[in-house]
Amino acid sequence: QPRATGIDLMICIVERNSGPVTECLIEMRRQLMQHPISSGELEPFVLRDACYRAIGELMAKNPGCIDSEQWFREELKQILVSPSCDAFPRSIMKARAVWLMGVFANDLPLNVWTEVLEYLTASLASSDVIVSLMATTSLTAIVSGVLESRAQLDRSHRDSGTASMLSQFEQVEEYDRKEQEGVDESFEESEMAEEAVPEPERLQKQ
């Protein structure tokens, strides 16, 4: 499986030495974007697909390495909406753009995120099976990310609520302790006052 081995090697390189890899991939992307490719050529699509797959893996490890919103506005959006990208070989790039949405869509602003969901939903009905499968994968990843964020928020709220309850319990315990100390002190003072009264007077009070 040369393709799977190559991807594993690329991921390993990204994890171990992401700085130079990031610079190389960003520069390669910049150069690729400067040269429009015609539908009659297959190699440029494959090369761009490989570069963008590597960038996607890099973004999964280091989300801030590329301005995802800017990339979406500059190139990926046009790929997603262009009818010409529904046919092979341009569909190679559409499948990759759809996949990239699953990588970083949850990091986009809400208005862009909503826009991405519309494109992905439309891509589910693509005549290209790979594009449709990528859309399913990306939507699943986005929903999973949303659910995980919601779970973390719920846990945070629960932790905050538990801490608040514990704090209140501690305050009540402290209040009870001080109140009991006050009762004990009053009792001791009363006992001391009783002892200070001469015996005949105590008998008269009784």
Side-chain angles (χ1 to χ4, degrees), residues 61-177:
K61 306 294 180 183
N62 182 15
C65 64
I66 292 179
D67 187 332
S68 53
E69 183 180 0
Q70 182 180 3
W71 189 12
F72 173 76
R73 296 294 190 194
E74 287 180 350
E75 181 185 20
L76 299 180
K77 179 179 178 178
Q78 283 66 40
I79 294 174
L80 290 169
V81 302
S82 175
S84 65
C85 291
D86 289 331
F88 187 82
R90 288 187 179 274
S91 60
I92 294 175
M93 286 311 305
K94 185 164 187 177
R96 183 57 59 204
V98 167
W99 177 80
L100 283 167
M101 294 303 95
V103 174
F104 61 72
N106 285 340
D107 298 325
L108 295 171
L110 181 59
N111 61 318
V112 182
W113 184 83
T114 305
E115 194 175 352
V116 167
L117 287 186
E118 293 177 0
Y119 296 143
L120 292 182
T121 303
S123 297
L124 289 172
S126 173
S127 58
D128 189 294
V129 175
I130 303 301
V131 172
S132 179
L133 289 174
M134 288 294 188
T136 302
T137 301
S138 292
L139 284 169
T140 301
I142 291 172
V143 171
S144 297
V146 170
L147 292 176
E148 177 60 26
S149 298
R150 177 61 184 271
Q152 291 177 356
L153 185 61
D154 289 344
R155 284 196 296 270
S156 176
H157 285 167
R158 285 198 300 269
D159 292 343
S160 176
T162 301
S164 177
M165 288 176 62
L166 289 174
S167 175
Q168 291 177 6
F169 284 142
E170 290 174 355
Q171 291 177 9
V172 170
E173 289 179 350
E174 179 66 14
Y175 176 82
D176 290 342
R177 185 183 63 79

